[in-house]
Amino acid sequence: SADLGDISDTTNADVAKENDLFAEGVSYAPIVVIAGENMVVTGLDEDLMGKASGYEGQVKIQPKDAFGERKPELVEVVPTRRFEKRPTPGTRVSLDNRTGTVESVVGGRVRVDFNSPYAGKTISYQYTIEKIVDKTVEKVKGLLKYYLNKDFNVSIAKKRVKVDMPYEMGFNPQVQYYKKLLAEKIMLFADTEEVDYIEVHKRPEPVSEEAVEGASEEASEKKADQQSEGQGKKEETVPA
């Protein structure tokens, strides 16, 4: 929670719903982190060190060890032509690999704050260590989930890791960046010597005859409705 007040993030779905934070597509479940590897803010990272499975605690973190102090120079004015769609105040936008919040839009200029929404705030974390991850495959899956927010099929044989990855993900520049980072972390912390990303292509699921017939009937009905509406309009324009 920010400034020991409103809850701003959680891995618990019930808590997210109670605080109007729930979002479809977001995984609400325990996450795997490597203590001391800056996978969370510095203050929490330090607090995790040396803790055992089952530990429950809370830590209050000052801005310098959380999301930093606010920096006025990170508030910038950007031409609206830099955006695909005209942004609106309050929305989060991505530009030049940075994410910011739109403060105002005046004419052809957009004022964007690239500070973290939590910059300058004291943060309180309440957490539970569910377990210490020992199995190599769980470490690998945990790291993949943390960085790519997706579950993958993983197999390991003779210190060689194979990760099945849908080919569509290859078009995402962010995924390409994290693949190298992940390979390095997997080899270092999961005691493996090689990481192979296997591009997976799956045969499209066949469309049943019932579905085809249903779609055809729906299209026919829609066409008939359009023709009926068109006829009605023509009749209305005929003078008495």
Side-chain angles (χ1 to χ4, degrees):
S1 59
D3 282 336
L4 304 181
D6 296 336
I7 293 177
S8 56
D9 196 10
T10 180
T11 58
N12 186 303
D14 292 334
V15 173
K17 291 175 181 177
E18 291 170 2
N19 292 273
D20 294 325
L21 295 172
F22 188 83
E24 295 294 339
V26 174
S27 176
Y28 293 96
I31 60 173
V32 174
V33 299
I34 303 172
E37 282 299 304
N38 299 315
M39 293 175 70
V40 291
V41 298
T42 301
L44 178 58
D45 205 17
E46 292 176 350
D47 202 67
L48 290 172
M49 299 295 288
K51 300 297 192 302
S53 176
Y55 175 85
E56 296 182 12
Q58 183 170 336
V59 57
K60 184 171 72 172
I61 306 171
Q62 298 302 314
K64 69 181 183 67
D65 290 323
F67 294 91
E69 300 289 354
R70 283 188 56 79
K71 299 179 180 179
E73 62 269 25
L74 291 182
V75 179
E76 304 175 12
V77 175
V78 183
T80 54
R81 65 174 181 273
R82 295 289 307 279
F83 303 90
E84 292 183 4
K85 296 181 179 180
R86 186 178 179 85
T88 56
T91 58
R92 297 283 287 168
V93 295
S94 294
L95 195 66
D96 298 331
N97 295 319
R98 296 185 299 167
T99 301
T101 303
V102 175
E103 290 190 335
S104 64
V105 182
V106 180
R109 309 197 327 163
V110 181
R111 183 181 174 90
V112 183
D113 184 359
F114 288 104
N115 283 285
S116 165
Y118 310 118
K121 296 182 178 181
T122 298
I123 305 295
S124 177
Y125 282 97
Q126 183 175 338
Y127 67 92
T128 300
I129 298 179
E130 298 288 347
K131 68 174 182 177
I132 305 299
V133 179
D134 295 318
K135 294 182 179 179
T136 300
V137 69
E138 290 185 15
K139 291 180 180 179
V140 174
K141 288 184 174 182
L143 285 168
L144 289 166
K145 180 75 171 182
Y146 180 89
Y147 284 102
L148 300 180
N149 194 33
K150 187 177 178 64
D151 294 313
F152 295 88
N153 290 326
V154 174
S155 60
I156 302 175
K158 296 181 179 179
K159 293 194 174 185
R160 181 179 181 180
V161 177
K162 290 185 179 181
V163 181
D164 291 344
M165 186 167 289
Y167 84 95
E168 297 92 341
M169 296 189 73
F171 300 111
N172 188 327
Q174 188 175 23
V175 172
Q176 295 304 313
Y177 167 79
Y178 278 123
K179 281 167 69 174
K180 183 177 185 299
L181 174 67
L182 276 163
E184 293 172 350
K185 287 188 177 294
I186 288 171
M187 287 185 284
L188 179 62
F189 295 104
D191 190 27
T192 56
E193 297 178 354
E194 182 177 324
V195 178
D196 298 330
Y197 296 103
I198 311 299
E199 188 176 273
V200 178
H201 295 255
K202 291 186 177 181
R203 182 192 300 274
E205 294 185 5
V207 180
S208 66
E209 293 183 4
E210 291 81 358
V212 173
E213 290 176 358
S216 179
E217 291 176 0
E218 184 178 346
S220 297
E221 291 174 0
K222 184 175 182 180
K223 184 176 181 180
D225 290 340
Q226 291 174 339
Q227 290 176 340
S228 177
E229 290 176 4
Q231 185 64 29
K233 290 179 180 178
K234 288 180 181 178
E235 292 175 354
E236 289 173 3
T237 58
V238 176

